[in-house]
Amino acid sequence: MSNPSLLILPGDGIGPEVMAEVRKVIDWFGANRGLTFDVDEDLVGGCAYDAHGTPLTDATMEKAQAVDAVLLGAVGGPKYDSLDFSVKPERGLLRLRKEMDLYANLRPAQCFDALADFSSLKHDVVAGLDIMIVRELTSGVYFGEPRGIVREGNERVGINTQRYTESEIARVARAAFELARKRDNRVCSMEKANVMESGVLWRDVVQEVHDAEYPDVELSHMYADAGAMQLTRWPKQFDVIVTDNLFGDLLSDLAAMLTGSLGMLPSASLGAPMANGRPKALYEPVHGSAPDIAGQGKANPCACILSFAMALRYSFDLGEEATRLEQAVQKVLADGVRTADLMQSEAGATPATTAQMGDAVIAALQASQA
Ligand code: IPM
Ligand code: MG
C-alpha cells in the first residue's frame, strides 16, 4: 500500500512559519511512529497571485483533489487589499472549499486548563469548555447568486444572496448529528428564522433530519444572535452547534476567543468520501495570516499543529496518534511555554518563538514514547 498523501499549502503571512513547525511534527511521526506521508507543497493565496497571477492555479487545484488531505496555513494580507475580487487571496481558499465540496467545517473550541485564566471571560465560565461548531462551508451568502456591485440610477448597490437547498442543509445537519453521537449527544442549530426564509427552511430541514434519522440526539434551535449572546454568557451549555456559512464564520471567531487565543484553534473541512473511503478534507487553523506579526517568529503554531491532529483523526482514522499530539500540546502549555499571544503583558517574561514552541511540542512527543 502506498503512503497516505498530503498537500501542504502554507499560504501567506504567518502561514509558512506555522507550517514549518507542522513539518517537524509530520517528520517526527514518520521517524518514530511508522507513519510516513508523501508530502507535496504548493502555493495558495497572495503568494500564488504573485507567482502566477491567480490565487490558486488549476494545477494546484488538481493536486488538492488527488491527495488524501490538504493542510493549509493562511491566506491574505494588506498588500492584496486593492486587487479585484476575483483574484483576491481569499478566492483561492474559497475555490478549494467549493470545488472539493467541503461542506462540513468542524471548529472545536476547547479550553486548555493551562489557559483558562487567559480568556477574557471568568475562569468558571470557560474552564473545561469543549464545544464543536459545525459550519456549513460551501453555500449560503458566500456563494449565492446574484452577487456584485451594480449601478441603479445614480447610485451603486451591493448585492449578495443567501441561498440554501434542502440537500445542502440536510447533509451538514447529518454531519453534526453524527459528531454529537460521539460526544455529548446534543445539537443546537442556529439561524435567523425570525427574519429569513432561508432560516425557516434551515430550521425545518434540521428538525426533519433529526426526527427521521437521529431521534436519539437532543436537538434545540436558537436564533443566531441569541446564540452569540448565550455563547458568551454560558458557553458550556452547548455541545455541537450547527449553523450556516456566515453565522458560522462569526460564531467560530467568538467561540475561539472564549478559549483564550485564536492561536490555539484548529479546523477540519470535510466533504464526501473518496474512492478510498477517506473524506475529501482540508485542515487549517482558524486564525488568519496575521500580517502584523508575519516573519518575526512570534506566531503561535499550535492551531496549525492541532489541525494536523484533526487530520490524523478524521482523514486517517488514527485517533490515538491524534490524542498523543493533542496531549503533547497540552503538556507544553502546562509546562508554561508561551508564545506572545498566550502571555498577559507580564513585564520581563520572554515569549517563546514559533520555532521554540514547535520544538517543545516535539520534545513532548518524544517524552510520550518514553
Ligand atoms: C475563515 C476565514 C475565511 C472565511 C476567509 C479568510 C475567507 O475568515 O475561515 O473563517 O470567511 O471563511
Ligand atoms: Mg473567519
Side-chain angles (χ1 to χ4, degrees):
M1 243 171 62
S2 57
N3 295 326
S5 55
L6 296 173
L7 175 64
I8 295 191
L9 302 172
D12 307 320
I14 61 172
E17 292 161 69
V18 294
M19 200 57 89
E21 304 312 307
V22 176
R23 288 298 278 254
K24 292 181 190 169
V25 171
I26 294 171
D27 291 346
W28 185 88
F29 276 94
N32 295 279
R33 304 298 304 164
L35 296 173
T36 306
F37 294 91
D38 290 337
V39 182
D40 192 4
E41 189 168 317
D42 213 328
L43 302 176
V44 69
C47 59
Y49 176 81
D50 289 339
H52 304 295
T54 168
L56 188 76
T57 64
D58 292 344
T60 311
M61 188 66 237
E62 272 172 39
K63 283 188 199 172
Q65 294 283 21
V67 291
D68 290 315
V70 179
L71 306 181
L72 188 136
V75 294
K79 184 179 159 194
Y80 308 103
D81 279 352
S82 57
L83 285 184
D84 184 74
F85 221 72
S86 61
V87 289
K88 273 194 193 299
E90 289 77 6
R91 300 308 302 176
L93 175 57
L94 294 175
R95 181 176 175 200
L96 283 164
R97 291 173 177 174
K98 187 69 177 175
E99 291 191 18
M100 292 172 75
D101 203 15
L102 305 170
Y103 60 89
N105 180 216
L106 281 45
R107 299 192 160 186
Q110 254 175 309
C111 186
F112 291 88
D113 289 344
L115 300 180
D117 287 320
F118 199 74
S119 172
S120 52
L121 298 188
K122 295 191 187 77
H123 183 283
D124 282 357
V125 177
V126 295
L129 179 72
D130 178 6
I131 59 184
M132 175 72 86
I133 296 190
V134 180
R135 166 188 177 193
E136 199 292 323
L137 203 60
T138 52
S139 185
V141 77
Y142 271 60
F143 297 99
E145 300 280 347
R147 64 185 298 159
I149 301 176
V150 299
R151 199 154 258 293
E152 271 181 24
N154 54 9
E155 66 173 351
R156 289 169 305 158
V157 182
I159 301 170
N160 289 94
T161 303
Q162 167 83 335
R163 182 179 191 278
Y164 270 106
T165 64
E166 285 186 283
S167 52
E168 286 169 341
I169 300 167
R171 65 182 185 171
V172 73
R174 283 190 191 99
F177 289 128
E178 292 289 340
L179 275 167
R181 279 184 174 161
K182 295 185 191 138
R183 298 169 47 97
D184 202 35
N185 216 29
R186 292 181 294 123
V187 171
C188 181
S189 170
M190 295 187 187
E191 28 54 22
K192 285 282 287 176
N194 50 345
V195 288
M196 298 165 78
E197 285 80 357
S198 60
V200 173
L201 185 71
W202 182 281
R203 186 175 282 225
D204 283 355
V205 173
V206 172
Q207 188 68 50
E208 285 162 15
V209 170
H210 170 268
D211 296 351
E213 301 169 43
Y214 301 90
D216 54 298
V217 181
E218 187 184 310
L219 172 65
S220 58
H221 303 273
M222 226 179 246
Y223 298 138
D225 55 343
M229 183 271 285
Q230 291 295 344
L231 264 173
T232 44
R233 192 187 68 83
W234 190 244
K236 284 190 244 178
Q237 70 187 278
F238 298 110
D239 178 28
V240 174
I241 292 172
V242 64
T243 189
D244 78 12
N245 204 344
L246 183 61
F247 295 141
D249 183 42
L250 305 178
L251 294 171
S252 61
D253 265 29
L254 191 162
M257 269 322 278
L258 300 176
T259 69
S261 171
L262 206 48
M264 293 300 303
L265 270 276
S267 82
S269 304
L270 306 177
M274 300 184 281
N276 62 12
R278 293 177 176 138
K280 282 259 167 177
L282 179 147
Y283 299 87
E284 57 176 319
V286 171
H287 65 66
S289 58
D292 52 321
I293 59 163
Q296 301 168 40
K298 287 184 181 169
N300 182 353
C302 287
C304 206
I305 290 173
L306 292 170
S307 298
F308 179 63
M310 291 189 87
L312 292 173
R313 178 170 289 118
Y314 292 106
S315 280
F316 303 113
D317 212 12
L318 294 165
E320 278 176 31
E321 300 299 337
T323 303
R324 175 188 299 276
L325 180 51
E326 287 158 358
Q327 285 175 348
V329 171
Q330 271 176 44
K331 177 173 186 303
V332 166
L333 296 173
D335 289 349
V337 185
R338 295 277 187 279
T339 41
D341 57 306
L342 302 177
M343 297 177 74
Q344 256 105 13
S345 49
E346 294 160 46
T350 315
T353 64
T354 308
Q356 284 166 344
M357 192 72 157
D359 291 342
V361 172
I362 298 294
L365 282 171
Q366 203 60 40
S368 78
Q369 298 224 108

